[in-house]
Coordinates of all heavy atoms in Angstrom, one line a residue:
M1 N 27.3 -19.9 2.4 CA 25.9 -20.2 2.1 C 25.0 -20.0 3.3 O 23.9 -19.5 3.2 CB 25.9 -21.7 1.5 CG 24.6 -21.9 0.7 SD 24.4 -20.8 -0.7 CE 22.6 -20.8 -0.9
T2 N 25.5 -20.5 4.4 CA 24.6 -20.4 5.6 C 24.5 -18.9 6.0 O 23.4 -18.5 6.4 CB 25.3 -21.2 6.8 OG1 25.6 -22.5 6.4 CG2 24.4 -21.3 8.0
A3 N 25.6 -18.2 5.9 CA 25.5 -16.7 6.2 C 24.5 -16.0 5.3 O 23.8 -15.2 5.8 CB 26.9 -16.1 6.1
L4 N 24.5 -16.4 4.1 CA 23.6 -15.8 3.1 C 22.1 -16.1 3.5 O 21.3 -15.2 3.5 CB 23.9 -16.3 1.7 CG 23.2 -15.6 0.6 CD1 23.9 -14.2 0.4 CD2 23.3 -16.4 -0.7
F5 N 21.9 -17.3 4.0 CA 20.6 -17.7 4.4 C 20.1 -16.9 5.6 O 19.0 -16.4 5.7 CB 20.6 -19.2 4.7 CG 19.2 -19.7 5.2 CD1 18.2 -19.9 4.3 CD2 19.0 -20.0 6.5 CE1 16.9 -20.3 4.7 CE2 17.8 -20.5 7.0 CZ 16.7 -20.6 6.0
V6 N 21.1 -16.7 6.6 CA 20.8 -16.0 7.8 C 20.4 -14.5 7.4 O 19.4 -13.9 7.9 CB 21.9 -16.0 8.8 CG1 21.7 -15.0 9.9 CG2 22.1 -17.4 9.4
V7 N 21.2 -13.9 6.6 CA 20.9 -12.6 6.1 C 19.6 -12.5 5.5 O 18.8 -11.5 5.7 CB 22.0 -12.1 5.1 CG1 21.6 -10.8 4.4 CG2 23.4 -11.9 5.9
A8 N 19.2 -13.5 4.6 CA 17.9 -13.5 4.0 C 16.8 -13.5 5.0 O 15.8 -12.8 4.8 CB 17.9 -14.6 3.0
V9 N 17.0 -14.4 6.0 CA 15.9 -14.5 7.0 C 15.8 -13.2 7.8 O 14.6 -12.8 8.1 CB 16.3 -15.7 8.0 CG1 15.4 -15.7 9.2 CG2 16.1 -17.0 7.2
L10 N 16.9 -12.6 8.2 CA 16.8 -11.4 8.9 C 16.2 -10.3 8.1 O 15.4 -9.5 8.6 CB 18.3 -10.9 9.3 CG 18.9 -11.7 10.5 CD1 20.3 -11.2 10.7 CD2 18.1 -11.6 11.7
F11 N 16.5 -10.2 6.8 CA 15.9 -9.3 5.9 C 14.4 -9.5 5.8 O 13.6 -8.5 5.9 CB 16.5 -9.4 4.5 CG 15.9 -8.4 3.5 CD1 16.5 -7.1 3.5 CD2 14.9 -8.7 2.7 CE1 16.0 -6.1 2.6 CE2 14.4 -7.7 1.8 CZ 14.9 -6.5 1.8
F12 N 14.0 -10.7 5.8 CA 12.5 -11.1 5.7 C 11.8 -10.7 7.0 O 10.7 -10.1 6.9 CB 12.4 -12.6 5.5 CG 11.0 -13.0 5.3 CD1 10.2 -12.6 4.2 CD2 10.3 -13.8 6.3 CE1 8.9 -13.0 4.0 CE2 9.0 -14.2 6.1 CZ 8.3 -13.8 5.0
I13 N 12.4 -10.9 8.2 CA 11.8 -10.5 9.4 C 11.7 -9.0 9.5 O 10.7 -8.5 9.9 CB 12.7 -11.1 10.6 CG1 12.5 -12.6 10.7 CG2 12.2 -10.4 11.9 CD1 13.5 -13.3 11.6
G14 N 12.7 -8.3 9.0 CA 12.7 -6.9 9.0 C 11.6 -6.4 8.1 O 10.9 -5.4 8.4
Y15 N 11.4 -7.1 7.0 CA 10.3 -6.7 6.1 C 8.9 -6.9 6.7 O 8.0 -6.0 6.6 CB 10.4 -7.6 4.8 CG 9.4 -7.3 3.8 CD1 9.3 -6.1 3.1 CD2 8.4 -8.3 3.5 CE1 8.4 -5.8 2.1 CE2 7.4 -8.0 2.5 CZ 7.4 -6.8 1.8 OH 6.5 -6.6 0.9
L16 N 8.8 -8.0 7.5 CA 7.5 -8.2 8.2 C 7.2 -7.1 9.2 O 6.1 -6.6 9.4 CB 7.5 -9.6 8.9 CG 7.4 -10.8 7.9 CD1 7.4 -12.1 8.7 CD2 6.2 -10.7 7.0
V17 N 8.3 -6.8 10.0 CA 8.1 -5.7 11.0 C 7.7 -4.4 10.3 O 6.8 -3.7 10.7 CB 9.4 -5.5 11.8 CG1 9.3 -4.3 12.7 CG2 9.7 -6.8 12.6
S18 N 8.4 -4.1 9.2 CA 8.1 -2.9 8.4 C 6.7 -2.9 8.0 O 6.0 -1.8 8.0 CB 9.1 -2.8 7.2 OG 8.6 -2.0 6.2
L19 N 6.1 -4.1 7.6 CA 4.8 -4.1 7.1 C 3.8 -3.8 8.2 O 2.7 -3.2 8.0 CB 4.4 -5.5 6.6 CG 5.0 -5.9 5.2 CD1 4.8 -7.4 5.0 CD2 4.4 -5.1 4.1
K20 N 4.1 -4.2 9.5 CA 3.3 -3.9 10.6 C 3.3 -2.4 10.9 O 2.3 -1.9 11.3 CB 3.8 -4.7 11.8 CG 3.2 -6.1 11.9 CD 1.8 -6.1 12.2 CE 1.2 -7.5 12.4 NZ -0.2 -7.5 12.6
I21 N 4.4 -1.8 10.8 CA 4.6 -0.4 11.1 C 4.0 0.5 10.0 O 3.3 1.5 10.2 CB 6.0 0.0 11.4 CG1 6.6 -0.9 12.6 CG2 6.1 1.5 11.8 CD1 8.1 -0.8 12.8
H22 N 4.4 0.1 8.8 CA 3.9 0.9 7.6 C 3.2 0.0 6.6 O 3.8 -0.5 5.7 CB 5.1 1.6 6.9 CG 6.0 2.4 7.8 ND1 7.3 2.2 8.1 CD2 5.6 3.5 8.5 CE1 7.7 3.1 8.9 NE2 6.7 4.0 9.2
P23 N 1.9 -0.3 6.8 CA 1.2 -1.2 6.0 C 0.8 -0.7 4.6 O 0.4 -1.4 3.7 CB 0.0 -1.6 6.8 CG -0.2 -0.4 7.7 CD 1.1 0.2 7.9
L24 N 1.0 0.6 4.4 CA 0.4 1.2 3.2 C 1.5 1.8 2.3 O 2.7 2.0 2.8 CB -0.5 2.4 3.6 CG -1.7 2.0 4.4 CD1 -2.4 3.3 4.8 CD2 -2.7 1.2 3.6
R25 N 1.2 2.0 1.1 CA 2.0 2.7 0.2 C 1.2 3.7 -0.7 O 0.0 3.7 -0.6 CB 2.8 1.7 -0.8 CG 1.8 1.0 -1.8 CD 2.6 0.0 -2.5 NE 1.7 -0.8 -3.4 CZ 1.5 -0.4 -4.7 NH1 2.0 0.7 -5.2 NH2 0.7 -1.1 -5.4
K26 N 1.9 4.5 -1.4 CA 1.2 5.5 -2.2 C 0.4 4.8 -3.3 O 0.9 3.8 -3.9 CB 2.2 6.4 -2.9 CG 2.5 7.7 -2.2 CD 3.3 8.6 -3.1 CE 4.7 8.9 -2.6 NZ 5.4 9.7 -3.5
C27 N -0.8 5.3 -3.6 CA -1.5 4.8 -4.8 C -0.7 5.2 -6.0 O -0.4 6.4 -6.2 CB -2.9 5.4 -4.8 SG -3.8 5.1 -6.3
P28 N -0.3 4.3 -6.9 CA 0.5 4.6 -8.0 C -0.2 5.4 -9.1 O 0.4 6.0 -10.0 CB 0.9 3.2 -8.6 CG -0.2 2.3 -8.1 CD -0.7 2.8 -6.8
V29 N -1.6 5.4 -9.1 CA -2.3 6.1 -10.1 C -2.4 7.5 -9.8 O -2.2 8.4 -10.6 CB -3.7 5.4 -10.3 CG1 -4.6 6.2 -11.2 CG2 -3.6 4.0 -10.7
C30 N -2.9 7.9 -8.6 CA -3.1 9.3 -8.2 C -2.1 9.9 -7.4 O -2.2 11.1 -7.0 CB -4.5 9.4 -7.5 SG -4.5 8.5 -5.9
K31 N -1.0 9.2 -7.1 CA 0.1 9.7 -6.3 C -0.4 10.3 -4.9 O 0.1 11.3 -4.5 CB 0.9 10.8 -7.0 CG 1.3 10.4 -8.4 CD 2.6 9.5 -8.4 CE 3.1 9.2 -9.8 NZ 2.2 8.3 -10.5
M32 N -1.3 9.6 -4.3 CA -1.8 9.9 -3.0 C -2.8 11.1 -2.9 O -3.1 11.5 -1.9 CB -0.7 10.1 -2.0 CG -0.7 9.2 -0.8 SD 0.8 9.4 0.1 CE 0.1 9.4 1.8
T33 N -3.1 11.6 -4.1 CA -4.1 12.7 -4.0 C -5.5 12.2 -3.9 O -6.4 13.0 -3.4 CB -4.0 13.6 -5.3 OG1 -4.3 12.8 -6.4 CG2 -2.6 14.1 -5.5
G34 N -5.8 11.0 -4.4 CA -7.1 10.5 -4.3 C -8.0 11.0 -5.5 O -9.2 10.8 -5.5
R35 N -7.4 11.8 -6.3 CA -8.2 12.4 -7.4 C -7.6 12.1 -8.8 O -6.4 11.9 -8.9 CB -8.2 13.9 -7.2 CG -8.9 14.4 -6.0 CD -8.7 15.9 -5.7 NE -7.3 16.2 -5.5 CZ -6.9 17.3 -4.9 NH1 -7.8 18.1 -4.4 NH2 -5.6 17.5 -4.7
H36 N -8.5 12.0 -9.7 CA -8.1 11.8 -11.1 C -8.7 13.0 -11.9 O -9.9 13.1 -12.0 CB -8.7 10.5 -11.6 CG -8.2 10.2 -13.0 ND1 -8.8 10.7 -14.1 CD2 -7.2 9.4 -13.5 CE1 -8.2 10.3 -15.2 NE2 -7.3 9.5 -14.9
F37 N -7.8 13.8 -12.4 CA -8.2 15.1 -13.1 C -8.5 14.8 -14.6 O -8.0 13.9 -15.2 CB -7.1 16.1 -13.0 CG -7.1 16.8 -11.6 CD1 -6.2 16.3 -10.7 CD2 -7.9 17.8 -11.3 CE1 -6.2 16.8 -9.4 CE2 -7.8 18.4 -10.1 CZ -7.0 17.9 -9.1
G38 N -9.5 15.6 -15.1 CA -9.9 15.4 -16.5 C -8.8 16.0 -17.4 O -8.0 16.8 -17.0
G39 N -8.8 15.5 -18.6 CA -7.8 15.9 -19.6 C -8.1 17.2 -20.3 O -7.2 18.0 -20.7
V40 N -9.4 17.5 -20.5 CA -9.8 18.7 -21.2 C -10.1 19.8 -20.2 O -9.6 20.9 -20.2 CB -11.1 18.4 -22.1 CG1 -11.5 19.7 -22.8 CG2 -10.7 17.3 -23.1
F41 N -11.1 19.5 -19.3 CA -11.4 20.5 -18.2 C -10.6 20.1 -17.0 O -10.9 19.3 -16.2 CB -12.9 20.4 -17.9 CG -13.7 20.7 -19.1 CD1 -14.3 19.6 -19.8 CD2 -13.9 22.0 -19.6 CE1 -15.1 19.9 -20.9 CE2 -14.7 22.2 -20.7 CZ -15.3 21.2 -21.4
T42 N -9.4 20.7 -16.9 CA -8.4 20.3 -16.0 C -8.8 20.6 -14.5 O -8.2 20.1 -13.6 CB -7.0 20.9 -16.3 OG1 -7.2 22.3 -16.4 CG2 -6.4 20.4 -17.6
Y43 N -9.8 21.4 -14.3 CA -10.2 21.7 -13.0 C -11.1 20.6 -12.5 O -11.4 20.5 -11.3 CB -10.9 23.1 -12.9 CG -12.1 23.2 -13.8 CD1 -13.4 22.7 -13.4 CD2 -12.0 23.7 -15.1 CE1 -14.4 22.8 -14.2 CE2 -13.0 23.7 -15.9 CZ -14.3 23.3 -15.5 OH -15.4 23.4 -16.3
S44 N -11.7 19.8 -13.4 CA -12.6 18.8 -13.0 C -11.9 17.5 -12.6 O -10.9 17.2 -13.2 CB -13.6 18.5 -14.2 OG -12.9 17.9 -15.2
Y45 N -12.5 16.8 -11.6 CA -11.9 15.6 -11.3 C -12.9 14.6 -10.7 O -14.0 15.0 -10.3 CB -10.7 15.8 -10.3 CG -11.1 16.3 -8.9 CD1 -11.4 15.4 -7.9 CD2 -11.1 17.6 -8.6 CE1 -11.7 15.8 -6.6 CE2 -11.4 18.1 -7.4 CZ -11.8 17.2 -6.4 OH -12.1 17.6 -5.1
R46 N -12.5 13.4 -10.6 CA -13.3 12.4 -9.9 C -12.5 11.6 -8.9 O -11.2 11.8 -8.9 CB -14.0 11.4 -10.9 CG -12.9 10.7 -11.8 CD -13.6 9.5 -12.5 NE -12.8 9.1 -13.7 CZ -11.7 8.4 -13.7 NH1 -11.2 8.0 -12.5 NH2 -11.1 8.0 -14.8
R47 N -13.1 10.8 -8.1 CA -12.3 10.0 -7.2 C -11.5 9.0 -8.0 O -11.9 8.5 -9.0 CB -13.3 9.2 -6.3 CG -13.8 10.0 -5.1 CD -14.5 9.1 -4.1 NE -15.4 8.1 -4.8 CZ -16.0 7.2 -4.2 NH1 -15.9 7.0 -2.9 NH2 -16.8 6.3 -4.9
C48 N -10.3 8.8 -7.5 CA -9.4 7.8 -8.1 C -10.1 6.4 -7.9 O -10.5 6.0 -6.9 CB -8.1 7.8 -7.4 SG -7.0 6.5 -8.0
R49 N -10.2 5.7 -9.1 CA -10.9 4.4 -9.0 C -10.0 3.3 -8.3 O -10.5 2.4 -7.7 CB -11.2 3.9 -10.4 CG -12.4 4.7 -10.9 CD -12.9 4.2 -12.3 NE -14.0 5.0 -12.8 CZ -14.1 5.4 -14.0 NH1 -13.1 5.1 -14.9 NH2 -15.1 6.1 -14.4
K50 N -8.7 3.5 -8.5 CA -7.8 2.4 -8.0 C -7.8 2.4 -6.5 O -7.9 1.3 -5.9 CB -6.3 2.8 -8.5 CG -5.3 1.8 -8.1 CD -5.1 0.7 -9.1 CE -4.0 -0.2 -8.7 NZ -4.0 -1.4 -9.5
C51 N -7.8 3.5 -5.8 CA -7.7 3.5 -4.4 C -9.1 4.0 -3.8 O -9.1 4.3 -2.6 CB -6.6 4.4 -3.9 SG -6.8 6.1 -4.4
N52 N -10.0 4.3 -4.6 CA -11.4 4.7 -4.1 C -11.3 6.1 -3.5 O -12.0 6.4 -2.6 CB -12.0 3.7 -3.2 CG -13.5 3.5 -3.4 OD1 -14.0 4.1 -4.4 ND2 -14.1 2.8 -2.5
G53 N -10.4 6.9 -3.9 CA -10.3 8.3 -3.5 C -9.5 8.5 -2.2 O -9.5 9.6 -1.7
T54 N -9.0 7.4 -1.6 CA -8.2 7.6 -0.3 C -6.8 7.9 -0.6 O -6.1 8.5 0.3 CB -8.3 6.3 0.5 OG1 -7.7 5.2 -0.2 CG2 -9.8 5.9 0.8
G55 N -6.2 7.5 -1.7 CA -4.8 7.7 -2.0 C -3.9 6.7 -1.3 O -2.7 6.7 -1.3
R56 N -4.6 5.7 -0.6 CA -3.9 4.7 0.2 C -4.0 3.3 -0.5 O -5.1 3.0 -0.9 CB -4.4 4.6 1.6 CG -4.1 5.9 2.4 CD -4.6 5.8 3.8 NE -6.0 5.7 3.8 CZ -6.8 6.4 4.8 NH1 -6.2 7.1 5.7 NH2 -8.1 6.2 4.7
M57 N -2.9 2.6 -0.5 CA -3.0 1.2 -1.0 C -2.2 0.3 0.0 O -1.2 0.7 0.5 CB -2.2 1.2 -2.3 CG -2.9 2.0 -3.4 SD -4.3 1.1 -4.1 CE -3.5 -0.3 -4.9
D58 N -2.8 -0.9 0.2 CA -2.0 -1.9 0.9 C -0.7 -2.2 0.2 O -0.7 -2.4 -1.0 CB -2.8 -3.1 1.1 CG -3.8 -3.0 2.3 OD1 -3.7 -2.1 3.1 OD2 -4.7 -3.9 2.4
R59 N 0.3 -2.4 1.0 CA 1.6 -2.9 0.3 C 1.3 -4.4 -0.1 O 0.5 -5.1 0.5 CB 2.7 -2.8 1.3 CG 3.2 -1.4 1.5 CD 4.1 -1.3 2.6 NE 5.4 -1.9 2.4 CZ 6.3 -2.0 3.4 NH1 6.1 -1.5 4.6 NH2 7.5 -2.5 3.2
W60 N 2.1 -4.9 -1.0 CA 2.0 -6.2 -1.5 C 2.1 -7.2 -0.3 O 1.3 -8.1 -0.2 CB 3.1 -6.5 -2.5 CG 3.0 -7.9 -3.0 CD1 2.2 -8.5 -3.9 CD2 3.8 -9.0 -2.5 NE1 2.4 -9.8 -4.1 CE2 3.4 -10.2 -3.2 CE3 4.8 -9.2 -1.5 CZ2 4.0 -11.4 -2.9 CZ3 5.4 -10.4 -1.3 CH2 4.9 -11.5 -2.0
G61 N 3.1 -7.0 0.5 CA 3.3 -7.9 1.6 C 2.2 -7.8 2.7 O 1.9 -8.8 3.4
T62 N 1.6 -6.7 2.8 CA 0.5 -6.5 3.7 C -0.7 -7.5 3.4 O -1.3 -8.1 4.3 CB -0.1 -5.1 3.7 OG1 1.0 -4.2 3.9 CG2 -1.1 -4.8 4.8
Q63 N -0.9 -7.6 2.1 CA -2.0 -8.5 1.7 C -1.6 -9.9 1.7 O -2.3 -10.8 2.1 CB -2.4 -8.1 0.2 CG -3.1 -6.8 0.2 CD -3.6 -6.4 -1.2 OE1 -2.9 -6.7 -2.2 NE2 -4.7 -5.7 -1.3
A64 N -0.3 -10.2 1.3 CA 0.2 -11.5 1.2 C 0.4 -12.2 2.6 O 0.0 -13.4 2.8 CB 1.5 -11.6 0.4
F65 N 0.9 -11.4 3.6 CA 1.2 -12.1 4.8 C 0.3 -11.8 6.0 O 0.2 -12.5 6.9 CB 2.6 -11.6 5.3 CG 3.7 -12.0 4.3 CD1 4.4 -11.1 3.6 CD2 4.0 -13.4 4.1 CE1 5.4 -11.5 2.7 CE2 4.9 -13.8 3.2 CZ 5.7 -12.8 2.5
F66 N -0.5 -10.6 5.9 CA -1.3 -10.3 7.0 C -2.8 -10.2 6.6 O -3.6 -9.6 7.3 CB -0.9 -9.0 7.6 CG 0.5 -9.0 8.2 CD1 1.6 -8.4 7.6 CD2 0.7 -9.8 9.3 CE1 2.8 -8.4 8.2 CE2 2.0 -9.9 9.9 CZ 3.1 -9.2 9.3
G67 N -3.1 -10.6 5.3 CA -4.5 -10.6 4.9 C -5.0 -9.2 4.5 O -6.2 -9.1 4.1
G68 N -4.2 -8.2 4.5 CA -4.5 -6.9 4.0 C -5.3 -6.1 5.1 O -5.8 -6.6 6.1
T69 N -5.4 -4.8 4.9 CA -6.1 -3.9 5.8 C -7.2 -3.2 5.1 O -7.8 -2.2 5.6 CB -5.2 -2.8 6.4 OG1 -4.8 -1.9 5.3 CG2 -3.9 -3.4 7.0
N70 N -7.6 -3.7 3.9 CA -8.6 -3.1 3.1 C -8.3 -1.7 2.7 O -9.2 -0.8 2.7 CB -10.0 -3.2 3.8 CG -11.1 -3.2 2.8 OD1 -10.9 -3.5 1.6 ND2 -12.3 -2.9 3.3
H71 N -7.0 -1.4 2.6 CA -6.5 -0.1 2.2 C -6.8 1.0 3.2 O -6.9 2.2 2.9 CB -7.0 0.4 0.8 CG -6.9 -0.7 -0.2 ND1 -5.6 -1.3 -0.6 CD2 -7.8 -1.4 -1.0 CE1 -5.8 -2.2 -1.5 NE2 -7.1 -2.3 -1.8
T72 N -6.9 0.6 4.5 CA -7.2 1.6 5.5 C -5.9 1.9 6.3 O -5.8 2.9 7.0 CB -8.3 1.1 6.5 OG1 -7.9 -0.1 7.1 CG2 -9.6 0.9 5.8
G73 N -5.0 0.9 6.3 CA -3.8 1.0 7.2 C -4.0 0.5 8.6 O -3.1 0.6 9.4
V74 N -5.3 0.1 8.9 CA -5.6 -0.5 10.2 C -5.8 -2.0 10.1 O -6.7 -2.4 9.4 CB -6.8 0.3 10.8 CG1 -7.1 -0.3 12.2 CG2 -6.6 1.8 10.8
Y75 N -5.0 -2.7 10.8 CA -5.2 -4.2 10.8 C -6.5 -4.5 11.5 O -6.8 -4.0 12.6 CB -4.0 -4.9 11.4 CG -2.8 -4.8 10.5 CD1 -1.7 -4.0 10.8 CD2 -2.8 -5.6 9.4 CE1 -0.6 -4.0 10.0 CE2 -1.6 -5.6 8.6 CZ -0.6 -4.8 8.9 OH 0.5 -4.7 8.0
P76 N -7.3 -5.4 11.0 CA -8.5 -5.8 11.7 C -8.2 -6.5 13.0 O -7.3 -7.3 13.1 CB -9.2 -6.8 10.7 CG -8.3 -7.0 9.6 CD -7.1 -6.1 9.7
K77 N -9.0 -6.2 14.0 CA -8.9 -6.9 15.3 C -9.2 -8.3 15.2 O -10.2 -8.7 14.6 CB -9.7 -6.2 16.3 CG -9.4 -4.7 16.5 CD -8.7 -4.5 17.8 CE -8.4 -3.0 18.2 NZ -8.2 -2.1 17.2
K78 N -8.5 -9.1 16.0 CA -8.8 -10.6 16.0 C -9.7 -11.0 17.1 O -9.7 -10.3 18.1 CB -7.5 -11.4 16.0 CG -6.8 -11.4 14.7 CD -5.4 -12.0 14.7 CE -4.7 -11.9 13.4 NZ -3.3 -11.9 13.5
Ligands
LIG1 ZN1 -5.5 6.5 -6.3

């Protein structure tokens, strides 16, 4: 049981380090293109509303543990 706890803690620490190095993930809506194409006129598109056209999204842990980067990938200076 103790070993399982240690493994869980190590995994969690690794997750936090990973969040610092890679705070972003792909936008699930536009797949990082930042664009949302029309259904009829397929050449037409608008900015993706989910990620505001950046294609970048904060990871869940980035927001939960570090307050988020506002989807920029840059942590605010303290
Ligand atoms: Zn998007």
Side-chain angles (χ1 to χ4, degrees):
M1 197 61 207
T2 309
L4 194 70
F5 180 73
V6 170
V7 168
V9 168
L10 285 177
F11 182 83
F12 183 69
I13 291 170
Y15 180 66
L16 290 182
V17 171
S18 162
L19 285 173
K20 275 288 183 186
I21 301 170
H22 303 119
L24 298 171
R25 67 186 177 89
K26 269 193 242 178
C27 172
V29 175
C30 63
K31 309 280 185 291
M32 239 173 135
T33 63
R35 294 173 297 201
H36 183 280
F37 284 92
V40 179
F41 303 100
T42 51
Y43 58 88
S44 66
Y45 69 88
R46 59 168 157 76
R47 280 191 313 174
C48 172
R49 285 183 184 138
K50 182 92 175 162
C51 60
N52 219 8
T54 62
R56 295 180 294 220
M57 294 281 294
D58 277 348
R59 287 164 72 186
W60 176 82
T62 306
Q63 293 181 322
F65 298 116
F66 298 112
T69 67
N70 208 19
H71 311 301
T72 60
V74 181
Y75 286 105
K77 298 256 188 324
K78 281 174 187 153

